[in-house]
Amino acid sequence: MTAVDEVELRQHFEATIAHDQRIEPRDWMPDGYRNTVIRQIAQHAHSEIIGMQPEGNWITRAPSLRRKAILIAKVQDEAGHGLYLYSAAETLGADRADLTDKLITSRQKYSSIFNYPTMSYADVGVIGWLVDGAAICNQVPLCRSSYGPYARAMIRICKEESFHQRQGYELLMTMMRGTTEQQAMVQDATDRFWWPSLMMFGPPDDASPNTARSMGWGIKRHTNDELRQRFVDMTVPQAQKLGVTLPDAQLRWNGERGHYDFGPIDWQEFFAVVKGDGPCNSQRIEHRRRAHEDGAWVREAAIAHARKAVAR
Ligand code: FAQ
């Protein structure tokens, strides 16, 4: 390719972004764009896969057949989301085996939220309500992300996440109509998951190295702080209706801003969890690594089968 060709290709790429159209796998794109989209999609895919563990922990102890069926379906959906996302990353030339290797050797990140333990069945409801709620807030704008395969994957993922959010809220509503012990379990789970849910949106804008560039490229549509505020505004009335107290004494409506004010987030905790020092980081990675090793025979069998099919 000549230098002139590259200038033209770059202009075409920039015009596509400026006109809010999609970049597709065969289009020319700058290396920085490709690497940023691979990084974000890979982190997102890993989050869906690791995110199966905290709730998966309760499948064998679900309180009824109905709750067990719902939970199995939800956890299975997360596996599906991971697979669409790994496929989207592959359209950019990433290799799925390499991405998995980077996850199990801690060279690529996954969402901080999944490094917290699930202590009671109320946690299943709170994960649906708060964690899926935060995920939806963050991911609905990604349906307009500039990378076509990612944006299209997000449409289906968001529909399923909305269902997950509602099942969590319904579970909590049921528990809140139950015994005082069940109500206390919901409050306790809310107390433990509220702040980590706010951290899911990533570091504050002034400490987010990727936001400006990702927004310039239309990969992200809003900043981390904008989406965090949107989540708080959406969730406070839901907490009131549910009858739980969000664990933040500074949480109050600010009429001037037209938003809820909230207290300071413990960013030291966030960075420690991202670095690998959260309560369950090593357990989550170890579990994923073991599952990968246990699945080696399936991969080998699939390859042998594919070879035979070609030879036939
Ligand atoms: N945890 O410069 P920024 C789900 C990293 S899916 C860990 O702001 P960016 C479904 C970040 O990668 C949840 N690391 O980065 C479900 C970057 O690292 P690097 C996942 C985090 O990319 C529900 C560094 O910090 N969702 O929940 C976190 O512009 C229930 C600097 O940050 C997505 O992945 C974090 N919370 O913005 C499953 C959505 N935040 O590589 C099961 C797509 C930031 O530079 C049950 N991703 N980091 O070293 C995004 O929207 C963005 O990537 C952000 C981060 C907003 C997460």
Side-chain angles (χ1 to χ4, degrees):
M1 193 183 3
T2 66
V4 177
D5 289 340
E6 179 153 351
V7 169
E8 269 177 27
L9 288 168
R10 187 175 291 275
Q11 280 169 350
H12 181 74
F13 169 83
E14 275 160 15
T16 306
I17 299 285
H19 290 108
D20 212 8
Q21 286 168 346
R22 300 282 166 271
I23 304 295
E24 296 298 338
R26 287 190 187 150
D27 293 343
W28 182 91
M29 61 192 88
D31 290 345
Y33 179 90
R34 185 183 298 275
N35 294 337
T36 302
V37 180
I38 292 177
R39 179 187 62 78
Q40 179 164 326
I41 298 179
Q43 180 189 310
H44 194 166
H46 298 330
S47 304
E48 300 280 359
I49 298 298
I50 296 284
M52 295 166 73
Q53 292 184 39
E55 289 166 288
N57 179 36
W58 283 92
I59 290 175
T60 55
R61 290 169 291 157
S64 68
L65 181 61
R66 178 170 172 266
R67 293 290 171 200
K68 191 195 273 274
I70 294 171
L71 186 55
I72 289 173
K74 181 184 189 283
V75 171
Q76 199 167 292
D77 282 354
E78 312 298 359
H81 299 173
L83 297 187
Y84 309 147
L85 289 164
Y86 284 127
S87 300
E90 282 179 322
T91 66
L92 287 161
D95 174 57
R96 178 150 159 222
D98 177 55
L99 297 180
T100 301
D101 191 57
K102 285 186 170 134
L103 169 65
I104 60 183
T105 53
S106 300
R107 285 178 293 141
Q108 261 176 356
K109 298 184 170 80
Y110 59 90
S111 183
S112 48
I113 190 76
F114 302 117
N115 291 308
Y116 292 86
T118 40
M119 314 292 279
S120 82
Y121 209 78
D123 290 21
V124 171
V126 166
I127 288 178
W129 173 39
L130 296 180
V131 177
D132 283 282
I136 293 164
C137 235
N138 170 268
Q139 289 170 29
V140 166
L142 294 175
C143 297
R144 293 182 296 108
S145 182
S146 60
Y147 186 58
Y150 188 35
R152 290 189 287 275
M154 276 302 123
I155 295 171
R156 176 153 177 190
I157 291 178
C158 285
K159 284 190 182 150
E160 293 180 351
E161 302 286 26
S162 305
F163 167 73
H164 295 171
Q165 203 254 359
R166 271 178 276 165
Q167 72 78 33
Y169 198 69
E170 189 268 343
L171 192 163
L172 298 178
M173 278 294 211
T174 306
M175 289 186 80
M176 291 304 282
R177 283 194 300 268
T179 62
T180 45
E181 217 180 337
Q182 286 173 311
Q183 292 163 3
M185 282 162 73
V186 175
Q187 184 61 58
D188 172 59
T190 305
D191 290 347
R192 284 181 287 106
F193 276 94
W194 174 247
W195 291 107
S197 300
L198 296 191
M199 294 173 196
M200 280 176 73
F201 294 90
D205 292 349
D206 56 13
S208 164
N210 300 300
T211 293
R213 205 159 76 137
S214 287
M215 287 193 45
W217 275 330
I219 300 168
K220 280 167 80 165
R221 295 293 178 171
H222 301 279
T223 72
N224 300 353
D225 287 334
E226 282 166 8
L227 293 172
R228 191 171 4 253
Q229 181 70 61
R230 192 179 280 188
F231 174 68
V232 172
D233 292 347
M234 181 184 96
T235 309
V236 173
Q238 295 172 356
Q240 285 162 351
K241 180 137 180 46
L242 196 57
V244 293
T245 308
L246 295 173
D248 179 358
Q250 295 178 46
L251 189 66
R252 61 180 60 84
W253 180 251
N254 181 329
E256 244 170 66
R257 290 200 314 120
H259 292 292
Y260 282 92
D261 288 337
F262 52 96
I265 294 173
D266 184 349
W267 291 115
Q268 258 181 328
E269 174 180 322
F270 169 78
F271 287 114
V273 173
V274 171
K275 230 178 64 208
D277 294 334
C280 298
N281 294 60
S282 46
Q283 180 185 329
R284 300 292 185 236
I285 289 294
E286 177 52 25
H287 186 90
R288 182 67 193 92
R289 197 186 53 72
R290 210 172 334 112
H292 183 65
E293 283 169 8
D294 289 349
W297 70 271
V298 180
R299 291 188 295 278
E300 283 159 20
I303 291 168
H305 179 74
R307 280 200 187 120
K308 269 193 204 159
V310 171
R312 238 181 260 133

